[in-house]
Amino acid sequence: MPSRRCCRILDLSRNHNDSTVSSTASTTIARLRCIACGATPDSAGQDFRCANCGDLLEFFFPEWTFDPAALKALWVDRKTSRRSLDQSGVWRFRELLPHIPEEHAITLREGNTPLYQLPRCARIAGLDMLHAKHQGMNPTASFKDTGMTFAASSAHHNGFRWVACASTGNTSASMAAYAARGHMHSLVLIPEGKISWGKLSQALDHGALTCQLRTDFDGCVRILNELVRQKPVYLLNSVNPYRIEGQKTAAIELLEQLGWEPPDHIIVPGGNLGNSSAIGKALLEMRELKLIARLPKLSIIQAQGANPFYRSVREFHGTKLEPMSADTMATAIRIGSPASWKKALRVLQATGGEVEQVTEVEIAAAKAEIGADGVGCEPASAVTLAGLKKLTQRGFVKPGESVVLILTGHLLKDPDFTVKFHRGDLFAGTKDENEARQTQSLQRAPVVLEADLGAVIGALDTAERNS
Ligand code: F0G
């Protein structure tokens, strides 16, 4: 397999010296550090793990000093710019990211996602007000695009022909799109039969070499880790610290949308735990830079059938994580051995957040409730509302507090789940069939009628009486 470059991956150079920035930014350097042993290598290997101890690497910025007011003003100014980098909701915040030369930036104008109020969901959760930042409104309809624009650009910068990931579906969809935009080839490893057709169709359409392996996500990760040691392919899973840096911007954009007034709580779904790590890293960095005065509590919610992090925190106080065989209909977070659990634990503890687990029926109900607020999301995103209900019941979240849910994927990512739910088929024949009866009032099955005006008027009248 021809490659332009394969061994030294990371180019650690000076931060952006944009002429518009010079009054705002000091020149700073992005460095790598191992999260466990603290080693600070100049470059990372193909697997992005510490050469000393094998743990994950992260970026840090030892010389960071910014004028917070000037930085905020600069980011607002860029909103009216016609430069593609400025129009991206990721690259707009490039002062807080490692440097990648502009000619290598691959952008689909990701980020820029809306912050919605969810009034019905707020009432259901017992809150005065509730917001959702909808990362499913990204170009490939999931939060992965914010990390992918940055990490795919790093692959391009380093001359790779091939990029690769193991995925439960969204990473592969995003990677395939960004690779295609950057004229790179992409290799996708997905668990056979365990990802939604919507996500698979995206990878196919964007030209990825898509391998459906007869294993689960964790099995795909194992094979990919071996592969990158033997072949010159660039790893685009969230162990790649460039992914985390790009995903940080969701939190920066959120705080900007809130006028830099931090909410009391941010709630995220937990799968491989890259997203929670990224959002938490951004919060800590924003406080360090005095962009915000206090930290929101970052809480992480897992599906009960895929809850290794929940168990790590609750049973072992974060001292260890026991991998498990994961199972949930929220296939995006069907992960038994999350790579970034130590990073997530650190931000959970630093922000004073909580962990929760939610059942399959609770996920399905919460998804329908978010849908009924006119927003909608995929099942994995709905764990946030399901978990929030538990956090309010426990008194961890108080009625008057401000809460933001991070919705990670679009409703149309997994239409099968939604249609089955509304037809009442989702739990048929499963152990959850009885518990699922509680969700009947949320179901809106389609009605089949003769092509007859009277029949339609009858259906309308019935619906009006029941509303
Ligand atoms: N929500 C959605 C919609 C996801 O696709 C994922 C992860 C998560 C939440 C969990 O985020 O892994 O950063 O904790 N999807 C990955 C994938 C694993 O391959 O698409 P995380």
Side-chain angles (χ1 to χ4, degrees):
M1 185 189 300
S3 99
R4 284 181 267 163
R5 197 187 306 174
C6 72
C7 289
R8 285 175 63 86
I9 292 181
L10 299 167
D11 173 21
L12 303 174
S13 43
R14 287 195 165 265
N15 228 15
H16 304 269
N17 238 340
D18 199 311
S19 58
T20 53
V21 180
S22 51
S23 60
T24 317
S26 62
T27 48
T28 54
I29 296 181
R31 301 285 319 271
L32 281 172
R33 176 171 58 204
C34 171
I35 61 162
C37 73
T40 53
D42 288 335
S43 64
Q46 296 271 107
D47 61 357
F48 289 103
R49 288 192 175 266
C50 173
N52 289 346
C53 73
D55 222 314
L56 296 187
L57 300 174
E58 66 177 355
F59 278 110
F60 72 109
F61 304 86
E63 295 166 24
W64 243 357
T65 48
F66 290 111
D67 170 353
L71 209 47
K72 289 175 185 175
L74 171 70
W75 292 338
V76 170
D77 272 1
R78 285 187 181 146
K79 286 186 174 181
T80 54
S81 160
R82 289 167 59 202
R83 272 176 77 184
S84 57
L85 277 201
D86 294 344
Q87 289 176 1
S88 160
V90 171
W91 296 85
R92 188 159 71 84
F93 301 106
R94 53 194 175 271
E95 285 70 29
L96 302 198
L97 307 176
H99 176 63
I100 294 177
E102 181 164 355
E103 63 271 25
H104 294 287
I106 308 166
T107 172
L108 286 163
R109 317 296 187 273
E110 51 292 313
N112 301 311
T113 58
L115 185 65
Y116 296 126
Q117 273 197 37
L118 299 181
R120 286 169 59 110
C121 294
R123 275 197 301 280
I124 292 166
L127 297 179
D128 300 339
M129 203 194 282
L130 176 61
H131 282 96
K133 179 148 177 73
H134 206 327
Q135 293 297 94
M137 299 299 185
N138 268 291
T140 77
S142 88
F143 74 99
K144 303 289 180 180
D145 294 342
T146 55
M148 202 54 75
T149 179
F150 206 61
S153 301
S154 160
H156 194 271
H157 180 208
N158 285 281
F160 279 82
R161 266 172 65 78
W162 279 87
V163 294
C165 72
S167 180
T168 57
N170 280 326
T171 302
S172 53
S174 181
M175 180 188 75
Y178 281 87
R181 297 294 297 171
H183 309 292
M184 296 179 289
H185 301 286
S186 60
L187 167 69
V188 161
L189 302 186
I190 47 173
E192 196 205 4
K194 295 293 189 311
I195 79 164
S196 75
W197 290 111
K199 298 172 190 179
L200 179 61
S201 68
Q202 289 178 289
L204 301 181
D205 222 34
H206 297 312
L209 167 57
T210 304
C211 301
Q212 296 181 271
L213 304 187
R214 293 196 187 91
T215 178
D216 55 10
F217 170 81
D218 303 291
C220 293
V221 170
R222 278 193 292 277
I223 293 195
L224 184 62
N225 284 339
E226 288 299 313
L227 181 84
V228 295
R229 288 192 199 106
Q230 295 187 26
K231 289 284 185 184
V233 296
Y234 186 88
L235 179 66
L236 277 177
N237 276 88
S238 56
V239 295
N240 180 328
Y242 282 96
R243 283 272 313 276
I244 302 293
E245 292 301 303
Q247 281 174 215
K248 279 187 341 191
T249 58
I252 306 172
E253 186 178 83
L254 168 66
L255 267 298
E256 185 187 61
Q257 286 166 318
L258 293 171
W260 303 102
E261 182 53 45
D264 296 307
H265 298 272
I266 297 177
I267 302 190
V268 286
N272 215 16
L273 297 170
N275 200 32
S276 34
S277 304
I279 289 173
K281 186 172 195 279
L283 296 175
L284 294 168
E285 290 177 354
M286 282 190 281
R287 191 187 54 171
E288 181 193 326
L289 290 171
K290 301 197 167 36
L291 290 163
I292 54 174
R294 63 183 174 85
L295 285 175
K297 294 187 173 77
L298 182 72
S299 293
I300 301 173
I301 317 295
Q302 293 204 296
Q304 198 170 308
N307 64 354
F309 186 65
Y310 171 85
R311 286 182 30 239
S312 166
V313 174
R314 287 291 173 87
E315 289 171 29
F316 310 120
H317 307 290
T319 52
K320 62 172 179 172
L321 180 131
E322 276 184 357
M324 65 185 289
S325 172
D327 196 15
T328 168
M329 284 195 244
T331 50
I333 50 173
R334 195 173 182 276
I335 294 173
S337 181
S340 294
W341 73 273
K342 287 185 193 164
K343 288 186 179 179
L345 181 70
R346 210 173 43 180
V347 297
L348 189 85
Q349 289 170 341
T351 66
E354 261 292 357
V355 286
E356 256 307 343
Q357 62 174 356
V358 291
T359 68
E360 298 293 292
V361 173
E362 288 166 344
I363 295 171
K367 193 179 106 55
E369 286 158 354
I370 294 168
D373 244 330
V375 171
C377 63
E378 69 165 285
S381 309
V383 303
T384 53
L385 177 63
L388 171 64
K389 291 184 208 169
K390 294 193 162 171
L391 294 175
T392 47
Q393 275 157 19
R394 280 171 41 198
F396 179 73
V397 175
K398 315 265 179 323
E401 288 188 316
S402 52
V403 181
V404 178
L405 308 180
I406 306 293
L407 301 182
T408 44
H410 197 280
L411 171 70
L412 294 177
K413 282 284 191 173
D414 194 353
D416 267 7
F417 182 103
T418 309
V419 172
K420 280 188 185 155
F421 174 81
H422 287 288
R423 288 205 161 125
D425 298 340
L426 191 62
F427 295 103
T430 74
K431 64 174 177 30
D432 298 321
E433 205 167 357
N434 271 341
E435 188 191 341
R437 290 191 215 292
Q438 309 158 15
T439 64
Q440 269 168 3
S441 63
L442 291 164
Q443 290 167 11
R444 298 283 176 270
V447 279
V448 181
L449 301 172
E450 291 306 324
D452 173 70
L453 178 62
V456 176
I457 290 177
L460 187 65
D461 289 344
T462 310
E464 174 60 23
R465 274 196 302 279
N466 294 340
S467 68

